[in-house]
C-alpha cells in the first residue's frame, strides 16, 4: 500500500523497572547523567534490519517526482506578495473551493495565510512530497470562516499596517497609497459590500487569532473542510506538470 501523506515515526523506548516489592527499601537518592546519542553508539543490527525496509519505502515515496519547478521560489522575493506565497494561497483556493462548494453551496471569496507559516523556499527542479513537507511541516488544517464586511475591512487594515507578504489568493486585491493608506481593496473585482458576509479560507492556527490576526476571532461560523494545507500542496503537485508562480499586483503600493 503506497504511503500517501502520513508521516510515520518509529519510537523505540527502553524502560527500566525498579522493584517496589514489600521489604525492599527505596533508594535514598537518584543520580543520573546525560548521554549524547552520537554515531559512536553502536546500533542494534536486529532493529536496523526491522526499520530499514520501512525507511527506504518512506524515502522512495517522499522523493518521487510529482511536478517540475522551473525557477526558485522564495517568500522574500517580493515586498507585499511573494512567488511562493501566491502559489500557496492560490493552491489553497483551488483545492479547497470545490469541497467547500459541494458541502455548503457557497464559494470561498479569498484565502489568507501567514508569511511565517512558509518554512522553506522552493528550489528549481524536482517537486516531490518532501517539498510539501519542507514548505509546510505542520499539520495545519484549512478552515473557512464566514466574516462580516466589517471584519474583512479589519483584515485589510491589518495587512496595510503590517506590510508583510502574507499569502493572499488572487481573488483579493489591495492597493496602497505611498503613505501606506488603502487606496482600493476589491474581492473578485468588486468593492467590499457592507450588507453581506464573506467566506475566507485560512489555517486553523490563524482562525483562532494566531500571528495577531484577531479579526478572525468570533466569526459568524467556522467550517472545517478536513483538509491539511500540506495535503493540498501534494494533491496539486500530483495533478500539474509544471509549477507556475510569480509576484504580481494582488498586493502593491503605488
Amino acid at each position: 500500500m503506497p504511503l500517501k501523506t502520513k508521516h510515520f515515526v518509529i519510537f523505540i523506548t527502553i524502560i527500566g523497572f525498579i522493584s517496589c516489592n514489600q521489604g525492599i527499601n527505596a533508594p535514598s537518592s537518584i543520580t543520573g547523567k546525560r548521554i549524547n546519542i552520537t554515531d559512536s553508539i553502536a546500533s542494534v543490527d536486529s532493529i536496523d534490519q526491522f526499520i530499514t525496509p520501512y525507511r527506504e519505502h518512506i524515502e522512495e515515496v517522499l522523493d518521487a517526482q510529482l511536478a517540475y519547478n522551473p525557477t526558485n521560489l522564495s517568500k522574500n522575493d517580493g515586498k507585499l506578495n511573494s512567488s511562493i506565497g501566491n502559489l500557496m494561497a492560490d493552491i489553497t483556493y483551488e483545492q479547497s473551493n470545490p469541497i467547500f462548494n459541494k458541502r455548503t453551496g457557497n464559494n470561498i471569496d479569498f484565502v489568507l495565510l501567514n508569511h511565517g507559516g512558509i518554512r522553506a523556499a522552493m528550489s528549481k527542479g524536482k517537486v516531490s512530497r518532501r517539498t510539501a513537507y519542507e514548505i509546510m511541516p505542520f499539520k495545519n488544517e484549512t478552515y473557512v470562516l464566514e466574516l462580516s464586511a466589517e471584519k474583512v475591512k479589519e483584515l485589510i487594515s491589518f495587512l496595510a499596517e503590517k506590510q508583510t507578504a502574507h499569502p493572499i489568493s488572487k481573488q483579493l486585491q489591495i492597493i496602497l497609497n505611498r503613505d501606506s493608506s488603502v487606496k482600493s481593496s476589491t474581492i473578485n473585482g468588486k468593492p467590499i459590500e457592507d450588507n453581506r458576509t464573506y467566506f475566507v479560507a485560512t489555517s486553523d492556527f490563524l482562525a483562532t487569532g494566531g500571528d495577531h490576526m484577531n479579526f478572525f476571532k468570533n466569526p459568524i461560523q467556522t467550517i472545517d473542510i478536513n483538509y491539511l494545507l500540506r495535503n493540498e500542496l501534494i494533491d496539486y503537485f500530483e495533478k500539474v506538470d509544471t509549477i507556475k508562480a510569480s509576484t504580481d499586483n494582488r498586493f502593491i503600493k503605488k
Side-chain angles (χ1 to χ4, degrees):
M1 180 178 180
L3 172 66
K4 291 296 289 181
T5 54
K6 295 185 182 294
H7 211 168
F8 291 92
V9 182
I10 297 175
F11 293 96
I12 301 172
T13 306
I14 301 176
I15 304 175
F17 293 94
I18 300 176
S19 173
C20 295
N21 291 334
Q22 186 175 3
I24 299 179
N25 294 327
S28 59
S29 65
I30 299 175
T31 61
K33 65 179 180 178
R34 177 179 295 177
I35 301 176
N36 293 324
I37 299 176
T38 67
D39 292 339
S40 63
I41 299 177
S43 61
V44 179
D45 290 342
S46 60
I47 295 175
D48 277 346
Q49 290 172 8
F50 177 79
I51 294 175
T52 295
Y54 295 96
R55 181 193 297 119
E56 291 176 349
H57 179 64
I58 291 171
E59 297 293 326
E60 180 182 350
V61 172
L62 285 175
D63 291 327
Q65 181 163 349
L66 304 179
Y68 176 75
N69 179 31
T71 185
N72 293 327
L73 305 179
S74 167
K75 69 177 184 180
N76 299 313
D77 57 11
K79 181 170 177 56
L80 298 179
N81 68 91
S82 69
S83 57
I84 194 169
N86 292 349
L87 177 67
M88 288 183 64
D90 289 343
I91 288 175
T92 301
Y93 182 90
E94 182 172 331
Q95 296 299 121
S96 299
N97 193 54
I99 297 171
F100 181 70
N101 178 265
K102 187 174 181 179
R103 294 183 184 179
T104 68
N106 297 305
N107 289 311
I108 295 170
D109 290 293
F110 64 91
V111 173
L112 170 62
L113 304 174
N114 64 319
H115 184 264
I118 306 171
R119 307 303 288 188
M122 192 169 172
S123 301
K124 177 181 178 180
K126 181 179 74 173
V127 177
S128 65
R129 290 178 181 84
R130 189 183 296 277
T131 306
Y133 274 89
E134 290 171 345
I135 296 171
M136 179 58 66
F138 313 113
K139 294 182 68 174
N140 289 122
E141 291 194 357
T142 304
Y143 281 11
V144 181
L145 309 183
E146 184 177 7
L147 301 181
S148 65
E150 181 180 359
K151 288 275 192 180
V152 172
K153 289 179 181 179
E154 289 180 27
L155 180 157
I156 291 168
S157 295
F158 172 87
L159 294 175
E161 178 186 352
K162 298 301 181 182
Q163 294 193 41
T164 300
H166 291 303
I168 61 174
S169 63
K170 58 187 175 184
Q171 290 76 27
L172 174 63
Q173 185 184 44
I174 303 171
I175 299 176
L176 303 181
N177 293 306
R178 290 189 177 182
D179 64 358
S180 298
S181 62
V182 178
K183 180 177 183 179
S184 67
S185 57
T186 58
I187 299 172
N188 290 310
K190 298 178 181 180
I192 297 168
E193 302 174 38
D194 290 334
N195 61 346
R196 61 157 292 185
T197 61
Y198 292 87
F199 293 102
V200 183
T202 189
S203 71
D204 55 351
F205 167 69
L206 299 180
T208 56
D211 216 353
H212 308 290
M213 296 192 184
N214 295 321
F215 46 81
F216 278 140
K217 292 181 177 180
N218 303 313
I220 296 170
Q221 64 172 320
T222 300
I223 301 96
D224 180 1
I225 65 170
N226 307 114
Y227 204 171
L228 294 181
L229 286 166
R230 182 175 60 227
N231 290 6
E232 294 190 318
L233 295 178
I234 293 171
D235 290 345
Y236 178 82
F237 294 158
E238 287 184 319
K239 74 179 185 180
V240 301
D241 177 76
T242 304
I243 302 298
K244 296 179 181 179
S246 64
T247 57
D248 56 26
N249 65 350
R250 67 187 67 189
F251 188 17
I252 57 173
K253 179 187 285 190
K254 287 193 172 182

